[in-house]
Amino acid sequence: MENLIALLIAAPLLGAVVLLCGGRRLDKTGHWLGTLLAAVSFGIGVVLFADMLGRGADDRTLTQNLYTWIPVEGFQADMAFQLDQLSMTFVLLISGVGTLIHVYSIGYMEHDERRRRFFGYLNLFVAAMLLLVLADNYLLLYFGWEGVGLASYLLIGFWQHKPSAATAAKKAFLVNRVGDMGLSIAIMLMFTTFGTFAFGPVFGAVGEASEGKLTAIGLMLLLAACGKSAQVPLQSWLGDAMEGPTPVSALIHAATMVTAGVYLIVRSAAVFNGAPDAQLVVTVVGAVTLLFGAIVGCAKDDIKKALAGSTMSQIGYMILAAGLGPIGYVFAIMHLVTHGFFKAGLFLGAGSVMHGMNDEVDMRKYGGLRKYMPVTFVTFGLGYLAIIGFPGLSGFFSKDMIIEAAFAKGGTEGWILGGVTLLGAGITAFYMTRVMLLTFFGEKRWQPTASDSGSAAGSGHEPHPHESPKSMTVPMVILAFGSVFAGAFFEIGERFLKWLEPVTGYSHGNPPVSAMTVTAATMVMLLVGVGIAWAMYGKRPVPVVAPRGSFLTRAARRDLYQDDFNHVVLVRGGEHLTRSLVYVDHSLVDGVVNGTAASVGGLSGRLRKLQNGYARSYAVSMFGGTAILIAATLLMRAV
Amino acid sequence: MNPVNYLYLAALLFTIGATGVLIRKNAIVLFMCVELMLNACNLAFVAFSRMHGNLDGQIIAFFTMVVAAAEVVVGLAIIVSLFRTRHSASVDDASLMKL
């Protein structure tokens, strides 16, 4: 059975190689090949899953060692895979949602002449992401980590003829690089501390390392997670990443890649369990991002950017849960999976709306679309109910668990974190209701103006909203099913908890308030959020041009000045630093070098005059020199 | 006769030669002055040989004569070819090899 693990990765990798090297003769069939190979990967995943279920809870981990990747004495890196319950969850999510999004892309990218290449990149992403979650050591994980970064860069900048897309891709790549730096430092620290970076030996030796070392490793891992999962302070790239095609936003920037940071922290549970300070920082980062993303999501008029803010916020929930330790690991992953369903579904719905509206992304120019796109409306609506935590849907269970776990942390911390998660739930309800109302309800507000999004379709005529083709709606329906039932399925009989507990561990904590109270409070927050949104956007007509808004709205529209902050502190600061370094280089370093050269040159220019070409003047110096030598010799003798 | 007088003569001849080398322009004269200096040295060698009563100085004088003969052959050839190309035997005119 374990020999199948490599095939999980090999299938999409083969697709990427064939599609990217195959040339134009694959233009007609390439997308089918890409989709098929993603589906093959999912099929193998299901087979392995069934096999895993057939074995006892302690006997479920499979390993496969392909070959020794870096065979250096004292530095052994294996091309080895480890498939346990945690990896399995990710494998099914990545290949399953990935396959659905491949199917969706067939319809979405139908008119794009570079569709073959798009599928090649998607396959490359799936392969790299599977490598990331299947690796059995940190170095191989790093390989996959960089691979998804590359795929993300290529796909954000897929429409590279748009300067905004090219810039966004570059920004995502650069910001991610800061995080990757953290991961590489963490690996080096592990190597110097434990002498290895394979999962098993590192986690086994955690007890021998000092807490300071573990905290350092944990913080570096957190930096890596911040970069990949768009957490404060490395969050600025995610909003711009929405320049990519919508299926990319759904797969990479909502369901899978951005959750890699959560995977990293949960996978390194042993390290974090030994470093309470690092855990505290993790929860703080999660809590800050949770509110940050939610506030940004409230003000955006671009439907994809509003969803991006929401993604940031939901991943904040997961990071916060992961920082809680054994109380929260399972729920972080559970929310990750349900979020994978409903957020991918929401993004696909947004893509479907854009598909019908000439690629218009401004929600103020939508309105009343429920009549024109019934399937999109229903699936998006179910995703909406799931994310705000409507009772019975998947988001309700997973988010509720995180809020309870936050309270169960205990002490003042627990109250603060619990309060933040509750507040976040209210804001989530507000901004998602706003998206829903602006898009599907109210009067139609679209106009016969050319869309300024630079698309070829915006040729100046009035958009005719229409339902998307089957290849797009079917994946949306399947994801909507997941959004509705996944939470309940996981929660009945605590299936998900029992499934993951052997890997991540679990402790119940001691919640200061009962689960019922938390649920009731969440419901109140939900109703308040929905109510405010209804009062602001449902009862009153929505202006097509955004009003100026309050200070907070304006700040949130500009992503709470994150780019301005980065610009002033990092870009300007960097410029000043480089300028002063250049000045020092010019004045000091060059001064010394040029000064030496100039003085040697001047001296030799003077000495050159002695070489006048007159043989007799040379003779004079010879005679003079000899005379001096003789005089000196005689003098020495006399003394 | 006191052999020291020969030494005085040798010093005088050497000085005349050296002065000639420094102040004359004509390459032939300059060359003769060099020969004068060499022979002043030979005279000094022979005089010392006589004073100290051993033959080393006289043998060295023969060596010097052989080297001087070889030098004359090469030196005169250079001066002649220099004169052929530049129509002048002045050493100050041959000052091309400078920066």
Side-chain angles (χ1 to χ4, degrees), chain B residues 17-39:
Chain B
T19 315
V21 167
L22 291 182
I23 64 174
R24 296 304 296 264
K25 274 190 198 165
N26 191 313
I28 301 282
V29 177
L30 214 135
F31 210 62
M32 284 159 63
C33 291
V34 171
E35 290 302 317
L36 201 56
M37 285 158 75
L38 280 169
N39 282 313

Side-chain angles (χ1 to χ4, degrees), chain A residues 455-480:
Chain A
S455 100
S459 49
H461 48 73
E462 185 165 338
H464 298 287
H466 53 274
E467 190 53 85
S468 301
K470 277 271 172 1
S471 63
M472 289 168 69
T473 51
V474 169
M476 284 153 58
V477 171
I478 297 173
L479 287 171

Side-chain angles (χ1 to χ4, degrees), chain A residues 22 24 28 45 159 164 178 180 203 212 216 235 241 253 255 260 294 332 347 370 474 511 519 532 566 576 633:
Chain A
R24 295 204 167 277
K28 289 263 178 341
W159 288 319
S164 56
V178 179
D180 298 347
F203 301 152
Q235 80 291 13
H253 306 118
F347 264 110
R370 68 181 186 283
V474 169
T519 310
I532 295 175
N566 285 351
H576 279 298
T633 316

Side-chain angles (χ1 to χ4, degrees), chain A residues 491-574:
Chain A
E491 196 49 30
I492 293 168
E494 297 190 320
R495 280 197 188 112
F496 202 76
L497 183 59
K498 285 176 187 155
W499 162 253
L500 267 190
E501 200 193 339
V503 182
T504 59
Y506 177 67
S507 79
H508 193 258
N510 40 352
V513 284
S514 73
M516 282 310 289
T517 321
V518 171
T519 310
T522 316
M523 283 303 112
V524 170
M525 292 305 291
L526 191 159
L527 286 176
V528 169
V530 173
I532 295 175
W534 169 254
M536 284 176 70
Y537 299 99
K539 275 201 326 206
R540 286 181 282 176
V542 180
V544 175
V545 178
R548 192 171 144 75
S550 67
F551 171 74
L552 185 63
T553 315
R554 290 200 304 276
R557 262 185 214 138
R558 302 206 55 180
D559 301 320
L560 297 178
Y561 302 117
Q562 58 185 16
D563 284 335
D564 305 80
F565 176 81
N566 285 351
H567 187 75
V568 170
V569 175
L570 299 176
V571 178
R572 290 270 177 75

Side-chain angles (χ1 to χ4, degrees), chain A residues 71-86:
Chain A
V72 176
E73 182 69 37
F75 186 94
Q76 297 284 330
D78 289 335
M79 188 60 86
F81 308 119
Q82 171 191 332
L83 183 71
D84 59 6
Q85 289 93 322
L86 182 60

Side-chain angles (χ1 to χ4, degrees), chain A residues 298-323:
Chain A
C298 289
K300 291 286 182 186
D301 288 330
D302 179 327
I303 186 169
K304 284 178 75 184
K305 291 202 170 163
L307 290 177
S310 157
T311 302
M312 220 183 269
S313 168
Q314 298 302 315
I315 298 172
Y317 269 107
M318 299 169 208
I319 295 274
L320 189 150

Side-chain angles (χ1 to χ4, degrees), chain B residues 22-96:
Chain B
L22 291 182
I23 64 174
R24 296 304 296 264
K25 274 190 198 165
N26 191 313
I28 301 282
V29 177
L30 214 135
F31 210 62
M32 284 159 63
C33 291
V34 171
E35 290 302 317
L36 201 56
M37 285 158 75
L38 280 169
N39 282 313
C41 293
N42 275 350
L43 186 58
F45 273 127
V46 175
F48 280 128
S49 172
R50 172 84 183 179
M51 281 161 73
H52 296 298
N54 86 25
L55 287 176
D56 291 0
Q58 301 197 20
I59 292 166
I60 294 279
F62 281 114
F63 274 107
T64 311
M65 275 177 218
V66 173
V67 171
E71 181 222 333
V72 165
V73 171
V74 177
L76 273 177
I78 291 175
I79 290 169
V80 168
S81 68
L82 199 67
F83 184 80
R84 274 194 189 147
T85 51
R86 307 181 68 87
H87 302 290
S88 146
S90 163
V91 285
D92 285 3
D93 287 348
S95 64
L96 284 174

Side-chain angles (χ1 to χ4, degrees), chain A residues 120-141:
Chain A
Y121 291 158
L122 275 188
N123 272 197
L124 176 68
F125 168 76
V126 172
M129 188 74 198
L130 288 172
L131 178 64
L132 196 165
V133 297
L134 285 170
D136 99 320
N137 60 65
Y138 278 98
L139 202 65
L140 196 56
L141 182 148

